[in-house]
Amino acid sequence: MAVTLKLEKGQKIELEKVAPGLENIHIGLSWDPRKTDGQAFDLDASVLCLDASGKLKSNDDIVYYNNRSAYDNAIVHHGDNLTGEGDGDDEVINIKLSKIPSKVERLLFVVTIYQADQRKQNFGQVPSAAIRLVNKDTNQEIARFDLNENYSLETAMEMGEIYRYNGEWKFNAIGQGYSTGLDGLVAQHS
C-alpha cells in the first residue's frame, strides 16, 4: 500500500513517478466548521484553467459551483458545501487528465470565502483547510497539503495546481493567500 505524501508549501511532485498511469484524479478540498461565535464558513472551491502564459481565455475556463464542468466533463465540480460539516472532503473536483485540452497548461485550485468582507472572515480563522489528490480509479490518496500558516488577511487561497512540464503532469502545493477574493484572482489571470 502506497504512503500518502504530506507536502509542504512550494513542494512539487511528478504525478507519473508517484502514481504511474494516473488518469482520473479526485481533488478533495476540506475544512472544519467554525468553532467560535459568528456565521459558518462557506468556502468555495474553483479551478482556473490557465494557458501557458498563466491566463484564462474565457469565463468557461473557470469551473466552480455555478459552472460545474468543462471540456466535455474533463473537469467536474461536485457541488457547493455551505458549512464544512462532516468528515472527509467538503468539496470535490474530478479531473480526467487525458481529456484536458492542450491549450490548458495549468489547473489552479483556489478556495475563497463566500462574502468574506461582509462576514468579517479570513483564512486565519478557518481550521484544518487542506487539499488532497486521490487516484480515483484505486481510491488511493497520493498527496495532501494542509494550510498551516496564519492567513489572517487572506480571503482567497491558491491551494495547489496540476500543471504540464515537458509533457508530464506535476502537482505544486502553493498555499498563497490573497485579500481580493475570487474576483481578484480571476482579474490577475485575465
Side-chain angles (χ1 to χ4, degrees), residues 29 33 61 65-66 70 75 83 102 111 131 134 171-172 178 188:
L29 297 133
D61 293 330
Y65 63 87
N66 273 341
I75 303 171
T83 65
S102 60
V111 179
I131 183 173
V134 176
F171 178 78
N172 178 21
Y178 298 88
Q188 180 179 333

Side-chain angles (χ1 to χ4, degrees), residues 54-153:
K55 300 296 181 188
L56 294 159
K57 290 298 184 188
S58 75
N59 286 340
D60 291 337
D61 293 330
I62 306 168
V63 179
Y64 66 111
Y65 63 87
N66 273 341
N67 179 36
R68 293 180 42 184
S69 67
Y71 316 121
D72 196 26
N73 292 323
I75 303 171
V76 177
H77 189 299
H78 287 272
D80 190 13
N81 179 320
L82 302 177
T83 65
E85 293 286 343
D87 292 333
D89 299 323
D90 295 306
E91 294 197 9
V92 172
I93 299 165
N94 288 332
I95 310 290
K96 185 177 276 295
L97 290 176
S98 66
K99 290 179 74 173
I100 301 297
S102 60
K103 71 175 185 166
V104 176
E105 291 289 322
R106 294 174 55 203
L107 301 173
L108 180 61
F109 301 98
V110 301
V111 179
T112 55
I113 301 173
Y114 180 71
Q115 295 183 332
D117 293 337
Q118 297 91 320
R119 296 177 181 203
K120 296 180 177 22
Q121 295 176 343
N122 60 64
F123 272 94
Q125 301 167 320
V126 178
S128 305
I131 183 173
R132 68 188 195 112
L133 280 75
V134 176
N135 182 332
K136 194 169 182 299
D137 295 325
T138 65
N139 206 30
Q140 176 65 46
E141 186 174 271
I142 300 165
R144 178 183 183 88
F145 171 55
D146 296 297
L147 289 183
N148 53 18
E149 293 181 18
N150 180 11
Y151 295 98
S152 61
L153 301 176

Side-chain angles (χ1 to χ4, degrees), residues 31 44 52 61 65 80 112 124 160 166 170 174 177:
W31 65 94
D44 296 319
D61 293 330
Y65 63 87
D80 190 13
T112 55
N166 290 336
K170 298 181 181 256
I174 299 174

